[in-house]
């Protein structure tokens, strides 16, 4: 079933035209459950629409619910985008530079057909000032349905040496955090790829990730190929300096195996063994501390200290 789920993702992202076989009615329900668990309900619904043209049809009771869920996601995206822009405008009016991290910023990379189907969760902005100062100076609206988080650090982890190196690099490349994209300001493509990998690393270790997090990375890499590949950023060198190179190798394997990302678009050489572990942990829907301890002992030691 997992292979069918990966194929459905590739149909949704236009990497495949059709599934390798037509799912049975009960399998469609399993695919929907997987999509829901992995925060991919809206994205996979787009794949379902494509498959309808090939005669592969979801059971009537399920497709009605799936369509309603996708419409709700689209409505929430409209609200999240509107509120994100309002917060950024308020910050700008008070003289604070800000950058939209992940969330609606990541959704921009999905393209017109999918950006409104990415499941939103919060509004997260980097501000170039102490957050307490910003909160005191700016009247940030408190929306229950669209929580806003302001941060003055990028990619903060719990390993002190690794975190110091990360903060030093982000500080050195601070200007790349502010690039105008329509009405929104967000990181440059090259910066965004690094940030997403860093964020994915810490989230994978400390909180647990879903396939939506990898989808963010996939579309960022696709945009990198279209926009800034000529910049020749040495990602392998950067990631090695952070101690994230091996993890990134695993992520690239996931990009290749699940999303069908071409080898030329990967920023480091993929590793099957590392990628299989990451994918297994992601698809399990649980964060297994002892599994992670075996693979990342030092990081899991520091995870005990919050």
């Amino acid at each position: 079933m997992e292979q069918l789920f990966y194929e459905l993702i590739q149909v949704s992202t236009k990497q495949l035209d059709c599934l390798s076989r037509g799912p049975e009615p009960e399998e469609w329900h399993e695919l929907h459950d997987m999509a829901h668990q992995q925060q991919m309900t809206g994205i996979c619904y787009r794949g379902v629409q494509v498959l309808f043209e090939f005669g592969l049809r979801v059971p009537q009771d399920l497709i009605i619910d799936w369509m309603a869920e996708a419409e709700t996601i689209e409505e929430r995206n409209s609200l999240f985008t509107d509120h994100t822009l309002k917060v950024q405008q308020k910050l700008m009016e008070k003289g604070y530079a800000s950058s939209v991290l992940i969330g609606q910023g990541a959704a921009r990379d999905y393209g017109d057909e999918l950006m409104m189907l990415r499941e939103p969760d919060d509004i997260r902005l980097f501000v170039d000032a102490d957050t307490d100062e910003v909160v005191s100076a700016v009247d940030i609206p408190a929306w229950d349905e669209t929580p806003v988080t302001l941060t003055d650090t990028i990619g903060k982890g719990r390993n002190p040496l690794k975190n110091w190196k990360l903060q030093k690099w982000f500080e050195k490349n601070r200007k790349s955090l502010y690039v105008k994209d329509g009405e929104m300001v967000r990181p440059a493509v090259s910066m965004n790829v690094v940030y997403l990998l860093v964020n994915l690393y810490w989230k994978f270790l400390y909180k647990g990730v879903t396939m939506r997090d990898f989808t963010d990375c996939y579309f960022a890499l696709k945009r990198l190929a279209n926009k800034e590949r000529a910049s020749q950023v040495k990602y392998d060198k950067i990631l090695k300096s952070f101690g994230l190179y091996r993890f990134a190798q695993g992520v690239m394997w996931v990009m290749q195996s699940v999303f069908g990302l071409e080898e030329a678009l990967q920023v480091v050489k993929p590793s099957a063994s590392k990628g299989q572990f990451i994918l297994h942990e992601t698809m399990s829907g649980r964060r297994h501390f002892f599994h992670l301890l075996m693979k990342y002992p030092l990081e899991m030691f520091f995870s005990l200290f919050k």
Side-chain angles (χ1 to χ4, degrees):
M1 278 308 299
E2 286 187 2
Q3 184 57 43
L4 269 184
F5 178 58
Y6 304 151
E7 290 179 13
L8 180 57
I9 291 174
Q10 290 190 40
V11 171
S12 303
T13 58
K14 296 184 177 181
Q15 289 290 85
L16 277 181
D17 293 327
C18 193
L19 302 180
S20 58
R21 66 176 179 86
E24 297 295 328
E26 63 274 13
E27 290 181 318
W28 277 118
H29 284 274
E30 288 185 57
L31 288 170
H32 173 264
D33 290 343
M34 283 185 182
H36 180 72
Q37 181 188 60
Q38 296 296 327
Q39 295 183 293
M40 294 288 284
T41 304
I43 299 300
C44 287
Y45 177 71
R46 177 59 188 137
V48 167
Q49 290 178 304
V50 172
L51 292 172
F52 182 84
E53 300 171 7
F54 287 85
L56 298 183
R57 308 204 173 169
V58 178
Q60 188 68 21
D61 60 330
L62 177 59
I63 193 60
I64 292 173
D65 290 340
W66 209 332
M67 179 173 63
E69 291 166 348
E71 289 175 350
T72 298
I73 290 170
E74 289 181 321
E75 291 170 0
R76 293 185 69 226
N77 267 304
S78 294
L79 189 64
F80 270 77
T81 299
D82 178 62
H83 288 180
T84 298
L85 295 174
K86 284 181 178 177
V87 171
Q88 199 158 54
Q89 179 65 28
K90 281 182 173 288
L91 291 168
M92 185 180 70
E93 289 171 355
K94 292 293 185 177
Y96 293 105
S98 68
S99 182
V100 180
L101 304 176
I102 312 183
Q104 301 316 101
R108 297 280 247 226
D109 291 340
Y110 280 55
D112 293 339
E113 287 189 15
L114 292 178
M115 65 185 297
M116 298 301 287
L117 290 170
R118 178 192 182 274
E119 293 191 32
D121 47 17
D122 69 352
I123 297 171
R124 184 174 297 273
L125 293 96
F126 172 79
V127 287
D128 202 0
D130 180 77
T131 52
D132 291 335
E133 173 194 327
V134 175
V135 170
S136 298
V138 183
D139 182 21
I140 304 293
W143 297 294
D144 292 336
E145 67 275 31
T146 56
V148 178
T149 300
L150 301 181
T151 180
D152 51 16
T153 58
I154 294 286
K156 187 176 182 180
R158 295 171 190 169
N159 181 325
L161 178 59
K162 192 169 289 185
N163 188 58
W164 177 79
K165 290 181 178 179
L166 282 167
Q167 300 310 314
K168 186 177 180 181
W169 186 85
F170 281 120
E171 180 65 31
K172 180 181 177 181
N173 296 277
R174 182 177 289 258
K175 289 183 179 180
S176 295
L177 284 167
Y178 308 104
V179 174
K180 189 78 170 174
D181 182 5
E183 298 177 58
M184 187 180 291
V185 176
R186 63 186 186 119
V189 187
S190 54
M191 164 67 80
N192 200 38
V193 167
V194 175
Y195 172 71
L196 285 173
L197 286 170
V198 169
N199 183 72
L200 193 61
Y201 180 67
W202 296 127
K203 192 173 181 183
F204 176 73
L205 294 178
Y206 301 154
K207 297 180 180 179
V209 297
T210 65
M211 200 54 67
R212 187 205 59 186
D213 300 305
F214 290 98
T215 309
D216 288 349
C217 189
Y218 166 76
F219 278 112
L221 290 166
K222 294 283 281 189
R223 182 167 176 249
L224 176 68
N226 294 331
K227 296 278 187 178
E228 292 190 10
R229 182 60 72 177
S231 65
Q232 297 296 313
V233 176
K234 296 181 179 179
Y235 291 97
D236 54 346
K237 183 178 179 180
I238 293 169
L239 294 166
K240 283 177 181 177
S241 72
F242 296 161
L244 267 64
Y245 182 75
R246 293 181 180 179
F247 176 78
Q249 284 186 296
V251 173
M252 291 306 114
W253 183 88
V254 173
M255 294 293 102
Q256 182 181 68
S257 301
V258 174
F259 295 90
L261 185 70
E262 303 91 323
E263 184 178 347
L265 306 188
Q266 297 167 24
V267 293
V268 299
K269 185 178 179 179
S271 167
S273 61
K274 297 174 180 64
Q276 287 165 359
F277 173 76
I278 292 171
L279 183 59
H280 179 268
E281 291 297 294
T282 302
M283 292 302 296
S284 73
R286 296 177 56 194
R287 177 177 172 272
H288 300 97
F289 178 85
F290 289 105
H291 291 182
L292 295 168
L293 182 65
M294 295 297 291
K295 294 288 185 177
Y296 304 94
L298 188 59
E299 302 303 341
M300 299 318 294
F301 169 76
F302 284 115
S303 75
L304 299 175
F305 304 95
K306 296 184 179 180

